[in-house]
Amino acid sequence: MGLIVQKFGGSSVADADKIRNVARIITETYRKGHNVVAVLSAQGDTTDDLIAKAAEINPHASKREMDMLLSTGEQISCSLCAMAIEAMGYPVVSLTGWQAGVRTNTGYSNARIKRIETERLLSELDKKCIVIVTGFQGINRYDDVTTLGRGGSDTSAVALAAALHADLCQIYTDVDGVYTADPRNVQGAKKLDEITFDEMLELATLGAQVLHNRSVEMAKRYNVNMEVISSFSGKPGTKVKEVVKNVEKTHVSGVAKDKDIARLALVGLQDTPGIAFKIFSLLAKEKVNVDIILQSIGRNDTKDISFTVHKGDKELAKRVLEDNKEYLGFDHIDVSDNIAKVSIVGAGMINNPGVAATMFEALYNAGVNINMISTSEIKVSVLVDISDTDRAVQVIHDKFFSEFGGGN
Amino acid sequence: MGLIVQKFGGSSVADADKIRNVARIITETYRKGHNVVAVLSAQGDTTDDLIAKAAEINPHASKREMDMLLSTGEQISCSLCAMAIEAMGYPVVSLTGWQAGVRTNTGYSNARIKRIETERLLSELDKKCIVIVTGFQGINRYDDVTTLGRGGSDTSAVALAAALHADLCQIYTDVDGVYTADPRNVQGAKKLDEITFDEMLELATLGAQVLHNRSVEMAKRYNVNMEVISSFSGKPGTKVKEVVKNVEKTHVSGVAKDKDIARLALVGLQDTPGIAFKIFSLLAKEKVNVDIILQSIGRNDTKDISFTVHKGDKELAKRVLEDNKEYLGFDHIDVSDNIAKVSIVGAGMINNPGVAATMFEALYNAGVNINMISTSEIKVSVLVDISDTDRAVQVIHDKFFSEFGGGN
């Protein structure tokens, strides 16, 4: 008997039947003697519908009013879920972000949780109530509604689990757990029983899109045990924790791809000190996240700097750099979004220097050309042509995970 | 220059164009140098859509969760309206019931406003912000969302006007103001420039449905100047205030009808002391509002008591009385909803005893049979067959308001 936080995403609460299914999962957990706090996203396309409504009235609406608007989505799904649980005869109460004491900073549309005032939550749990909390939202110090941006509901769930010292934070989704590669595209992809926070972080960053980074970072910081689990299958999911049992054995946990990137190359840069600092601080000021960076010697004492950004930031990044062409001193900018990132992740990798070589070998055998390489303690990423992406993932996965491959 | 509270109903904010129209009205008032607090209802059918969603999941959902659900409707319309005002370049902020400090009792789905904590409102007005407030909702002492029931947004507007000592509370609607009768059905119906709170109260009770009683009662208690005005025509509306200028001249302000009633008759009651008390306290306990009561002598030392209730309460009232048949001691209950109430209202009526007679004469001349009569200081109501309703209203209106009629 303990406290379990369960998070259900938009597809898990998309219609009345799915809400009843969620209510069933919650009440089954409750019946086993656990306290349950459930965190819900807005139903299916609600958020998109609200965004369309706003765009019709004001395409440049303030983020403050957008948050006011969008936060209704979770309030609707939560009250409906509470009604479904009432119909099953269990004590339940739904709470908005402010009622649940979720206090954030003032960054509308992309707020960070600062603290959770748990008084109301604890008093409802003391009454043996099931508590349903709106994900993705809180209030700031002006008592204005804020939303948490991408992956917000996962973050809400982990923050609540941390604040309430929950025994487990279950992230219910439409997949069975974390796989060695995307099971929809890669033959032989296997579900992992356990994975470390760090591996999960790399996988999330790399486009595996099971959990959002922010939630995993927070779970790691507060040591919240997470589980990624299906809302529909009823099978055990993947546990995400600090240390997994068989870490010594695991060299590679998974293969991930990310097609949502673009590469910019500044060609013919004057080789002056601090040039990299200048470039990336300009981009940081515009909140453009830069991923892989490669610096190479060009012709005539110049050099080239290439880097990847999220595809959505491509134009912004280009404009920022063009606007500062004189200040930076380069010849021209090359932009390509015809590329994808393919990565392997594994906590055991650092002790196995052969892992990267094995990956490159697989790509070489398949005739996949590597554009850029980036490595960290627990991952190796390569940039390939976008048309090679799926094949690259498959051959790497075969190499590490098939019985006839070389890996584990 | 002063403070004006403006309330816009669901039909006034039904789509993007109508929201822009509301934004125009608000900003025009603001441009004249006034502070503006606007109170909005949910868009068009939003509330009905949400009720349908809830019914699919749990037809007996708790009122607490229903309020949580329904309160999102106004939050959506208010944030959208704020966005429309932002697009016009004015400073604006939307506030939910709790942000606006609307504190209610705990009566979910039909809560009463207890007080308004005006700190946030005043600070936004000090900043010269236009403030958009969700109508129909507040929070109770548990910090739970409550809704105010029928006419809730009118009540929100008047309560805010009272708390902020506003100079005027304008109720924008789809009619031009208060008429001497329903202009859609009665030929020659005239718009009134002014009307007293008491007359308005009687008209609202009698089914004129321009303003809800609760809001008028509150306006009378706190002496809030109201105006009923069209969102679309741009013409001056009807002022509702304590005393109107030409009160001496006005005998009858309007003719109203109410088809939404049912009559119950308890036939063959034992003529014991306190029988009326017993009957009506039983009904009050079930929150059945009783309107016209008529007591008559029956046969054999028994008597009959007839009364009218809202049509929706008919079955409940009947069941309560049937359940107490032995306690009350009657022969049988007669129920009819084939009736309607037609009334004339006027503050000058009490000084003109001929008014009721003139009304009865008009009905007699038209061959309309009167079932029951009820009078107060400022109104005379009769029950007629439902099929006679519209004709009764027209002949009474002709009598009092047409140039060839007898009245004013």
Side-chain angles (χ1 to χ4, degrees):
Chain A
M1 209 193 98
L3 171 61
I4 297 182
V5 175
Q6 301 183 316
K7 179 260 173 179
F8 299 91
S11 58
S12 300
V13 293
D15 58 35
D17 278 340
K18 286 183 175 164
I19 286 177
R20 271 187 282 267
N21 179 51
V22 164
R24 211 150 30 226
I25 293 172
I26 293 169
T27 53
E28 271 168 23
T29 311
Y30 179 85
R31 272 219 316 273
K32 287 177 188 156
H34 300 295
N35 282 314
V36 184
V37 173
V39 177
L40 271 55
S41 301
Q43 289 187 283
D45 300 327
T46 308
T47 305
D48 289 339
D49 291 348
L50 290 170
I51 289 171
K53 272 195 167 204
E56 196 187 348
I57 284 176
N58 183 352
H60 310 291
S62 69
K63 289 177 174 178
R64 192 247 177 226
E65 295 299 337
M66 283 303 293
D67 283 2
M68 188 77 160
L69 178 69
L70 296 184
S71 64
T72 60
E74 290 78 29
Q75 196 169 331
I76 290 170
S77 59
C78 284
S79 50
L80 290 175
C81 183
M83 292 175 195
I85 291 174
E86 284 176 351
M88 296 175 181
Y90 294 90
V92 64
V93 64
S94 71
L95 300 178
T96 63
W98 67 267
Q99 290 172 329
V102 180
R103 309 294 311 210
T104 73
N105 68 6
T106 56
Y108 297 108
S109 89
N110 196 22
R112 305 283 133 172
I113 296 176
K114 289 177 65 179
R115 64 182 187 283
I116 293 182
E117 291 158 358
T118 54
E119 200 180 342
R120 173 77 189 264
L121 286 162
L122 292 173
S123 98
E124 298 294 350
L125 292 172
D126 279 349
K127 286 186 268 178
K128 293 305 282 177
C129 251
I130 294 167
V131 184
I132 315 290
V133 179
T134 56
F136 181 66
Q137 63 182 255
I139 51 168
N140 65 20
R141 67 188 146 99
Y142 307 118
D143 281 354
D144 281 343
V145 177
T146 51
T147 66
L148 305 181
R150 291 180 70 189
S153 291
D154 288 356
T155 308
S156 301
V158 173
L160 286 164
L164 296 168
H165 307 290
D167 299 282
L168 181 60
C169 179
Q170 296 181 307
I171 308 291
Y172 281 85
T173 175
D174 47 7
V175 296
D176 277 340
V178 182
Y179 278 72
T180 51
D182 187 338
R184 288 167 302 186
N185 294 318
V186 178
Q187 287 192 321
K190 297 187 178 87
K191 203 192 73 188
L192 297 164
D193 293 330
E194 296 187 322
I195 189 171
T196 66
F197 290 126
D198 288 334
E199 289 172 322
M200 195 66 236
L201 276 173
E202 291 288 5
L203 281 171
T205 315
L206 300 173
Q209 288 180 330
V210 180
L211 285 177
H212 198 275
N213 249 6
R214 287 171 63 189
S215 61
V216 183
E217 278 164 12
M218 190 180 283
K220 180 176 156 71
R221 192 171 333 129
Y222 295 102
N223 204 7
V224 172
N225 286 320
M226 294 178 86
E227 182 178 14
V228 178
I229 185 168
S230 163
S231 312
F232 306 109
S233 78
K235 286 185 245 167
T238 299
K239 295 264 167 69
V240 190
K241 40 171 78 168
E242 191 55 46
V243 178
V244 302
K245 288 183 213 134
N246 52 350
V247 66
E248 287 300 343
K249 222 187 106 224
T250 314
H251 301 160
V252 176
S253 307
V255 184
K257 66 177 175 189
D258 185 359
K259 292 184 177 177
D260 241 8
I261 61 171
R263 183 188 52 190
L264 283 84
L266 287 168
V267 180
L269 273 166
Q270 296 305 315
D271 196 359
T272 53
I275 184 69
F277 162 74
K278 286 179 186 169
I279 293 168
F280 296 110
S281 64
L282 279 170
L283 292 170
K285 220 180 284 171
E286 296 295 325
K287 300 206 191 306
V288 174
N289 277 324
V290 173
D291 186 19
I292 300 179
I293 300 172
L294 192 79
Q295 180 172 318
S296 65
I297 306 299
R299 290 146 299 182
N300 310 326
D301 288 334
T302 62
K303 61 183 178 185
D304 305 341
I305 291 187
S306 306
F307 57 90
T308 61
V309 297
H310 188 267
K311 208 171 255 177
D313 286 336
K314 182 181 66 174
E315 295 302 330
L316 174 60
K318 190 180 172 195
R319 206 181 58 233
V320 171
L321 297 174
E322 294 276 18
D323 288 350
N324 290 278
K325 192 170 179 180
E326 278 182 40
Y327 168 64
L328 296 172
F330 57 86
D331 186 63
H332 67 279
I333 303 181
D334 242 29
V335 180
S336 162
D337 50 11
N338 216 4
I339 51 153
K341 183 167 61 171
V342 174
S343 314
I344 54 172
V345 170
M349 206 178 278
I350 191 169
N351 300 317
N352 289 271
V355 169
T358 305
M359 178 187 188
F360 303 152
E361 183 191 357
L363 292 171
Y364 170 74
N365 287 340
V368 174
N369 195 36
I370 299 172
N371 289 311
M372 283 165 80
I373 298 172
S374 162
T375 60
S376 80
E377 293 200 347
I378 64 162
K379 74 152 189 189
V380 179
S381 298
V382 297
L383 289 194
V384 299
D385 280 1
I386 200 160
S387 58
D388 286 334
T389 320
D390 294 334
R391 200 158 48 93
V393 172
Q394 185 69 57
V395 297
I396 295 168
H397 192 269
D398 286 348
K399 196 80 178 170
F400 286 104
F401 295 101
S402 84
E403 291 177 72
F404 311 106
N408 298 11
Chain B
M1 207 192 102
L3 172 60
I4 297 183
V5 174
Q6 302 184 317
K7 180 260 172 180
F8 299 90
S11 57
S12 299
V13 293
D15 57 36
D17 279 339
K18 287 184 174 163
I19 285 177
R20 272 188 282 267
N21 180 51
V22 164
R24 212 149 30 226
I25 293 172
I26 292 168
T27 53
E28 272 168 22
T29 310
Y30 179 84
R31 273 220 315 274
K32 288 176 187 157
H34 300 295
N35 282 314
V36 184
V37 174
V39 178
L40 270 56
S41 301
Q43 290 188 280
D45 301 327
T46 309
T47 306
D48 289 341
D49 291 347
L50 290 171
I51 289 171
K53 272 195 168 204
E56 196 187 348
I57 283 174
N58 183 353
H60 310 290
S62 68
K63 289 177 174 178
R64 193 249 176 223
E65 295 299 337
M66 282 303 292
D67 283 1
M68 188 75 160
L69 179 69
L70 296 184
S71 64
T72 59
E74 291 78 29
Q75 194 169 332
I76 291 170
S77 59
C78 285
S79 51
L80 290 175
C81 183
M83 291 175 195
I85 291 173
E86 286 177 350
M88 296 174 181
Y90 294 91
V92 63
V93 64
S94 71
L95 300 178
T96 62
W98 68 268
Q99 289 172 328
V102 180
R103 309 294 312 208
T104 73
N105 67 7
T106 56
Y108 297 107
S109 88
N110 195 23
R112 306 283 134 172
I113 296 175
K114 290 177 66 179
R115 67 181 184 284
I116 294 184
E117 292 159 356
T118 55
E119 200 179 341
R120 172 78 189 262
L121 286 161
L122 292 173
S123 99
E124 298 293 350
L125 292 171
D126 280 348
K127 287 185 267 176
K128 295 304 283 176
C129 250
I130 295 168
V131 184
I132 315 289
V133 179
T134 55
F136 181 65
Q137 62 181 254
I139 52 166
N140 65 19
R141 67 186 147 98
Y142 307 119
D143 282 354
D144 280 343
V145 178
T146 52
T147 67
L148 305 180
R150 290 180 70 186
S153 291
D154 289 355
T155 307
S156 301
V158 173
L160 286 165
L164 296 168
H165 306 290
D167 299 282
L168 182 59
C169 179
Q170 294 181 308
I171 308 290
Y172 280 84
T173 173
D174 47 6
V175 297
D176 278 340
V178 182
Y179 277 72
T180 52
D182 187 338
R184 289 167 303 186
N185 294 321
V186 178
Q187 287 193 321
K190 298 184 178 86
K191 202 192 74 189
L192 298 163
D193 292 333
E194 296 186 322
I195 190 170
T196 66
F197 289 127
D198 287 336
E199 289 172 323
M200 194 67 235
L201 276 174
E202 291 288 6
L203 281 171
T205 314
L206 299 173
Q209 288 182 327
V210 180
L211 286 178
H212 198 273
N213 249 7
R214 286 169 64 189
S215 62
V216 184
E217 278 164 12
M218 190 181 281
K220 179 175 155 73
R221 193 173 329 130
Y222 296 101
N223 204 8
V224 172
N225 286 321
M226 294 178 87
E227 181 177 13
V228 178
I229 185 167
S230 163
S231 312
F232 306 108
S233 78
K235 287 185 245 169
T238 299
K239 295 265 168 67
V240 191
K241 38 171 80 171
E242 189 56 47
V243 179
V244 300
K245 288 182 212 138
N246 54 351
V247 66
E248 287 299 342
K249 223 186 104 220
T250 315
H251 303 160
V252 175
S253 307
V255 185
K257 67 180 176 189
D258 186 357
K259 292 183 177 176
D260 241 7
I261 60 171
R263 184 188 53 191
L264 284 84
L266 287 168
V267 179
L269 273 167
Q270 296 306 316
D271 196 0
T272 51
I275 184 70
F277 162 75
K278 285 179 187 171
I279 293 168
F280 296 110
S281 64
L282 278 171
L283 294 170
K285 218 178 289 173
E286 297 295 325
K287 300 206 191 305
V288 173
N289 277 324
V290 173
D291 185 19
I292 301 179
I293 299 173
L294 192 80
Q295 178 170 319
S296 66
I297 306 298
R299 291 145 297 184
N300 309 328
D301 287 333
T302 63
K303 61 183 177 184
D304 304 341
I305 290 186
S306 306
F307 57 90
T308 60
V309 295
H310 188 269
K311 209 171 254 180
D313 286 335
K314 183 181 67 174
E315 295 302 330
L316 173 61
K318 190 179 173 196
R319 204 182 59 232
V320 170
L321 297 175
E322 294 277 18
D323 288 351
N324 290 278
K325 192 169 178 179
E326 276 185 39
Y327 168 64
L328 296 171
F330 57 86
D331 186 60
H332 67 277
I333 303 181
D334 242 27
V335 180
S336 162
D337 51 12
N338 216 5
I339 51 152
K341 183 166 62 168
V342 173
S343 313
I344 54 174
V345 171
M349 206 179 278
I350 189 168
N351 300 316
N352 289 273
V355 169
T358 306
M359 178 187 188
F360 302 154
E361 185 193 353
L363 293 171
Y364 171 74
N365 287 339
V368 174
N369 195 36
I370 299 173
N371 288 312
M372 282 165 81
I373 297 172
S374 161
T375 61
S376 80
E377 294 199 348
I378 64 162
K379 75 154 190 187
V380 180
S381 297
V382 297
L383 289 193
V384 299
D385 280 1
I386 202 159
S387 57
D388 287 332
T389 320
D390 293 334
R391 200 156 50 91
V393 172
Q394 186 68 57
V395 297
I396 294 168
H397 192 269
D398 287 347
K399 196 80 178 170
F400 286 104
F401 294 101
S402 87
E403 291 176 73
F404 312 105
N408 295 13

